[in-house]
C-alpha cells in the first residue's frame, strides 16, 4: 500500500482528528474552530480525500500571530486551519513511525514517549560520568532559511511516495497571512518556517 493511502485511511484520519480536537487551539484563516471541525469534515470528507489523492488540494496559509518572549521581543507563531492541522497530523503519524526506527537513541526532541526531562536525566548521567562540557547549538531562523529541495530530498530517502511528497511540499509553500488577515487576505508571505506543522519538521531534524 502506498503511503498516501495509509495517510488517507479512515483509522489514521480519525486518529489525527481526535488528536487535533484534544489539542484544541485557535482557528486559522478560514475561521473554522476545532468545535466546528467535525461537522465540516463530515460534509466535505469525500471531496477533501479525493483532492488530496489527485493532488489538487491546496493548504491554506497560516494565520500570523505574535507571542511575547521573556526578553521583551515577540516570537512569530503561525496558526494553520483546523483542517490543515488534521491533515498534517495524518501525514506525521505514519512518517513518524518510519523515522522512529532509525532515529538515534540520544535524540529526544518531539519524540513519542520522550521529553526534555528524559534529556535532562541523560545529561545528569553524563555529568556523573565525569563529563563537564555542554555544547548549546541553535540554528538561527532555521525555518526561515531551510532549503525546501534539500528537505524533500532527505525525506525521499525514507518516503518514496510522490503524492505524499507533493502534499508536503505544498505545506512548505503555503505561506503566511499577516496581520489584518480578515480585511486584507492578499497579504501572504511565503516563508519556509510555515511548513505549518512542527510535527513533520521534527521528524526531519530530530
Amino acid at each position: 500500500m502506498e503511503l498516501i493511502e495509509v495517510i488517507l485511511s479512515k483509522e489514521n484520519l480519525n486518529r489525527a482528528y481526535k488528536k487535533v480536537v484534544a489539542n484544541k487551539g485557535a482557528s486559522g484563516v478560514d475561521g473554522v474552530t476545532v468545535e466546528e471541525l467535525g461537522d465540516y469534515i463530515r460534509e466535505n470528507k469525500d471531496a477533501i480525500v479525493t483532492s488530496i489523492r489527485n493532488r489538487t488540494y491546496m493548504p491554506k496559509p497560516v494565520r500570523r500571530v505574535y507571542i511575547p518572549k521573556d526578553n521583551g521581543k515577540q516570537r512569530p507563531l503561525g496558526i494553520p486551519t483546523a483542517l490543515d492541522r488534521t491533515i498534517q497530523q495524518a501525514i506525521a503519524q505514519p512518517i513518524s513511525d518510519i523515522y522512529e526506527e532509525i532515529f538515534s537513541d540520544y535524540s529526544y526532541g518531539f519524540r513519542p514517549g520522550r521529553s526534555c526531562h528524559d534529556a535532562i536525566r541523560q545529561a545528569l548521567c553524563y555529568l556523573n560520568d565525569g563529563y563537564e562540557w555542554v555544547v548549546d547549538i541553535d540554528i538561527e531562523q532555521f525555518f526561515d532559511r531551510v532549503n525546501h529541495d534539500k528537505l524533500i530530498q532527505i525525506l525521499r530517502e525514507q518516503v518514496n511516495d510522490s503524492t505524499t511528497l507533493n502534499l508536503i511540499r505544498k505545506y512548505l509553500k503555503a505561506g503566511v497571512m499577516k496581520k489584518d488577515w480578515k480585511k486584507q487576505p492578499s497579504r501572504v508571505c511565503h516563508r519556509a518556517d510555515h511548513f505549518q506543522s512542527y510535527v513533520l519538521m521534527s521528524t526531519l531534524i530530530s
Side-chain angles (χ1 to χ4, degrees):
M1 181 184 294
E2 293 185 349
L3 181 59
I4 193 64
E5 297 305 323
V6 176
I7 291 169
L8 296 177
S9 67
K10 182 177 180 180
E11 179 183 359
N12 188 60
L13 289 173
N14 284 342
R15 180 181 161 204
Y17 166 75
K18 291 177 181 178
K19 181 75 172 178
V20 169
V21 170
N23 288 341
K24 299 181 180 179
S27 60
V29 297
D30 62 358
V32 176
T33 65
V34 170
E35 291 76 18
E36 299 167 333
L37 179 61
D39 289 339
Y40 181 84
I41 290 177
R42 278 188 287 273
E43 294 172 4
N44 298 278
K45 179 181 177 182
D46 290 343
I48 293 168
V49 169
T50 298
S51 65
I52 292 174
R53 190 175 279 126
N54 64 23
R55 305 189 185 190
T56 59
Y57 180 80
M58 294 300 297
K60 289 182 170 56
V62 300
R63 178 164 66 89
R64 162 68 78 235
V65 296
Y66 293 90
I67 55 177
K69 298 171 65 175
D70 292 339
N71 61 7
K73 296 182 179 180
Q74 291 186 319
R75 181 186 302 278
L77 180 67
I79 303 177
T81 66
L83 175 61
D84 279 325
R85 294 204 296 273
T86 303
I87 296 172
Q88 291 162 12
Q89 183 65 33
I91 298 170
Q93 287 165 178
I95 289 182
S96 294
D97 291 341
I98 293 171
Y99 274 87
E100 273 300 310
E101 297 182 4
I102 62 174
F103 274 154
S104 167
D105 286 339
Y106 303 102
S107 170
Y108 295 93
F110 301 108
R111 299 280 300 279
R114 295 188 173 210
S115 69
C116 60
H117 299 289
D118 297 312
I120 292 171
R121 279 190 285 269
Q122 182 62 58
L124 287 174
C125 289
Y126 291 141
L127 288 172
N128 292 333
D129 289 339
Y131 294 95
E132 298 179 354
W133 287 89
V134 175
V135 180
D136 183 12
I137 300 175
D138 179 30
I139 303 176
E140 184 179 6
Q141 295 183 316
F142 170 79
F143 295 105
D144 286 340
R145 301 169 181 173
V146 64
N147 185 296
H148 293 175
D149 292 333
K150 184 64 175 179
L151 203 59
I152 294 296
Q153 179 183 343
I154 294 171
L155 189 57
R156 187 177 287 114
E157 294 175 3
Q158 302 296 328
V159 181
N160 189 19
D161 181 273
S162 60
T163 304
T164 300
L165 294 174
N166 176 268
L167 182 58
I168 291 173
R169 185 179 285 276
K170 285 181 178 178
Y171 275 111
L172 281 168
K173 294 182 176 297
V176 181
M177 201 74 75
K178 290 193 173 183
K179 64 181 179 179
D180 300 328
W181 58 279
K182 287 187 177 179
K183 296 180 180 179
Q184 300 179 28
S186 63
R187 294 182 65 185
V188 177
C189 172
H190 293 278
R191 289 172 54 184
D193 63 323
H194 309 298
F195 182 63
Q196 303 188 347
S197 176
Y198 75 90
V199 284
L200 277 173
M201 276 300 196
S202 66
T203 295
L204 300 177
I205 65 178
S206 291

